[in-house]
Amino acid sequence: MDELLRLIEDPDDDSTGAYDVVDLIAENTTDETLVPRLTAELQRFLDKGDFYGRDVVGDALAGAAGVAALPALIRAAARDLGDDQDGLSMTIVELVEAGGPRARAFLRESAADDSPAVRETAEWARGFLPKD
């Protein structure tokens, strides 16, 4: 985890190293102790307005938590950091398409959020749910 954060902050990293670490995290999803820290780091990058850090940590969180990462990723996508959100959007779409009933439940919860931006983002993501 520390290596991932170091690579995100390294101006000389071309993202290859960071995404290699993300892949390692995804391969070792039995370590759920990473989820709280990844969630906190996701929030830190959002607060900094760092969309690259948001995307990389979002991918790592998706790899570690699977579909359970959807609420945090939906909230992250609801924050406008001034980028196109292509990477984060793709991560959300992949989780929604593969998440089945759990994804549907998480999106239903997000659709009832107090934040209009979160509700709108959840509604967008619902469009990628497999048809019953």
Side-chain angles (χ1 to χ4, degrees), residues 2-15:
D2 291 333
E3 177 68 5
L4 177 63
L5 297 175
R6 186 189 68 71
L7 289 166
I8 291 170
E9 303 284 349
D10 182 352
D12 294 327
D13 182 57
D14 64 358
S15 81

Side-chain angles (χ1 to χ4, degrees), residues 9-69:
E9 303 284 349
D10 182 352
D12 294 327
D13 182 57
D14 64 358
S15 81
T16 303
Y19 279 102
D20 286 345
V21 174
V22 168
D23 290 343
L24 288 173
I25 289 171
E27 289 171 9
N28 297 303
T29 57
T30 57
D31 185 3
E32 293 180 11
T33 62
L34 288 177
V35 172
R37 182 153 181 219
L38 287 166
T39 303
E41 291 298 334
L42 178 62
Q43 187 61 51
R44 183 175 71 86
F45 284 113
L46 286 167
D47 292 344
K48 283 177 44 173
D50 183 337
F51 59 84
Y52 172 66
R54 176 207 61 206
D55 287 358
V56 175
V57 171
D59 278 353
L61 181 58
V67 71

